RNA sequence: GGCGCAUUCGUCUAGUGGUUAGGACACGGCCCUCUCAAGGCCGGUGCACGGGUUCGAUCCCCGUAUGCGCUGCCA
């Protein structure tokens, strides 16, 4: 559709995918997909001391999880490779030679520096507008180093060379690079290359407005991958940080975002990451989940704290999980919500105990226990009818029966529908657990 | 320090030279209800400050403050 549009995500392999990097990748991907262009993944592994293999894998995993497929790059190939900077030495040498021949470099203690033309450089940025940088003063804008004495390359140089060689049409990156852009433009000009279009997107900050750094909670995509989030929710939330459909919609499917995404709708203000809102949005998606995908994600979430559902019959597991549909926001809430289905050794919530296991309620719990024990058909509707009949007999509302029963059987004051949960648990376990609660209290 | 960018409810955002400044998250109250969640209704909080320009500025200009970024032989 538009083969001239070529964008890239160029992370350095640090061992994890930063949430800000994930959004940069997302914006590049959205732009490419919207225009029918090409999304390229390039690994900026100029620092050879890092474990590139493993560290790069974290980036692939993160991008795949988010559903951001790349058209050129590692595992994918392409006509502009290699896609690792560590394998592009010859290319950099060639361009350095051009610069040397043109007299644009000089040596400084063994390092190679680029001699700035000392002019004003205007950056035309799609997001930030037109910005004039005064680079005439060498005191404030020293000539940049492009190669170290040991032969390794400096980011600014190889980044520009790669963008030229890979025919990148639009550089979409974090605003932290805005001040570096005029230097990059000097390099493009020195190499007689047309600079790409630039779009600097705002940064993601912590909730308190400080810069989100490596150590901050939530800075790594793994927090969300392992924390029970849905990729479509994280994509959606990330897209809303700095971009907006300009109407009141918040929940937008990825293909809808692709359809609407425009760089000139990106705002210039740094955004704080609001975990609560991300969790809320996740709940919006989680609520719609059913069937196989739901069961799979739920079982994975239960497995994390050590609840092994494989020891139970499939039908039991599914029926149990189905009572949890639409009842939680992130999957990590699930073990606490429905763990009682899979373990007998749960403890009773102390606050709920104080409120429900009262001297007044214990005879009532005994009464409902006996009524349940006498039941033939142990299904939700029979259980409900029995409970209500028992309440009527005792001259009380359903509440004083419901709450102590729930606590006795699940250990919690919250959970799935009581009658359904009792049915799934089965008569034997229900009676056993109520008896145990009765014994524990008295 | 120098340079750059930013500034609308606590947070994410919409918006306009004249609006009751809109939505969402979060928060509080009520309703519904077997709990929770969801849903429904109601509620409060915002245009950083000071000068201009203008009949009129949240919106345009200048300054101040604050925040963030860059200023590396990090990326």
């Amino acid at each position: 559709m538009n083969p001239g549009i070529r964008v890239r995500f160029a992370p350095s392999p640090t061992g994890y995918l930063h949430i800000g990097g994930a959004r940069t990748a997302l914006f590049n991907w959205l732009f490419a997909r919207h225009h029918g262009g090409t999304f390229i993944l390039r690994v900026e592994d100029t620092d050879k001391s890092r474990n590139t293999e493993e560290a790069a894998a974290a980036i692939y995993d993160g991008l795949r999880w988010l559903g951001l497929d790349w058209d050129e790059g590692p595992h994918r190939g392409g006509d502009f490779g290699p896609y690792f900077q560590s394998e592009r030495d010859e290319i950099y040498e060639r361009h350095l030679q051009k610069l040397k021949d043109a007299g644009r470099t000089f040596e400084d203690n063994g390092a190679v520096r680029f001699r700035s033309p000392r002019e004003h450089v205007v950056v035309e940025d799609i997001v930030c507008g037109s910005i004039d940088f005064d680079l005439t003063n060498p005191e404030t804008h020293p000539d940049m180093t492009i190669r170290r004495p040991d032969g390794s390359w400096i980011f600014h140089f190889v980044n520009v060379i790669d963008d030229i060689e890979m025919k990148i049409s639009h550089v979409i990156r974090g605003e932290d690079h805005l001040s570096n852009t005029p230097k990059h433009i000097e390099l493009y000009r020195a190499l007689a290359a047309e600079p790409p279009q630039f779009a600097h997107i705002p940064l993601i900050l912590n909730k308190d407005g400080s810069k989100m750094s490596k150590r901050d909670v939530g800075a790594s995509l793994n927090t969300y991958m392992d924390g029970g989030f849905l990729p479509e929710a994280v994509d959606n939330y990330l897209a809303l940080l700095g971009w907006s459909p300009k109407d009141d919609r918040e929940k937008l499917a990825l293909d809808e975002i692709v359809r609407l995404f425009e760089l000139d709708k990106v705002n210039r203000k740094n955004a704080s990451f609001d975990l609560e809102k991300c969790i809320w949005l996740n709940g919006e998606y989680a609520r719609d989940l059913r069937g196989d995908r739901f069961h799979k994600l739920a079982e994975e979430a239960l497995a994390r704290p050590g609840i092994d559902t494989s020891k139970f019959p499939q039908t039991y597991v599914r029926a149990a999980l189905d009572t949890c549909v639409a009842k939680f926001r992130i999957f990590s809430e699930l073990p606490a919500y429905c763990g009682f289905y899979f373990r007998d050794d749960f403890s009773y919530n102390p606050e709920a105990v104080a409120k429900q296991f009262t001297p007044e309620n214990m005879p009532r719990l005994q009464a409902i226990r006996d009524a349940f024990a006498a039941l033939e058909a142990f299904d939700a509707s029979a259980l409900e009818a029995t409970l209500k009949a028992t309440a009527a007999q005792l001259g009380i509302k359903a509440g004083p029966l419901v709450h102590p029963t729930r606590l006795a059987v699940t250990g919690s004051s919250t959970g799935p529908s009581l009658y359904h949960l009792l049915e799934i648990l089965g008569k034997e376990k229900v009676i056993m657990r109520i008896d145990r609660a009765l014994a524990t209290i008295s």
Side-chain angles (χ1 to χ4, degrees), chain A residues 361-419:
Chain A
N361 276 347
M362 297 325 278
R364 294 167 174 165
L365 186 57
Q366 181 68 52
I368 194 67
R369 180 252 181 240
D370 293 340
F372 284 167
L375 266 179
E376 295 268 318
F378 209 75
D379 60 69
S381 58
L383 287 158
E384 179 167 7
T386 302
L387 186 136
K388 290 195 167 150
T390 306
Q393 257 170 26
L394 297 173
I396 55 175
K397 289 183 166 183
L401 249 30
V402 166
H403 303 305
T405 304
R406 174 185 296 283
L407 183 58
V409 169
T410 73
S412 171
S413 59
T414 64
S417 161
L418 180 67
Y419 308 115

Side-chain angles (χ1 to χ4, degrees), chain A residues 13 40 48 94 98 158 263 269 281 313 315 321 355 367 423:
Chain A
I40 298 155
K48 296 185 175 79
R94 199 173 77 232
K98 272 172 71 180
V158 293
L263 283 175
K269 187 188 164 192
L281 192 55
T315 48
L321 293 177
K355 200 172 168 189
E423 175 183 330

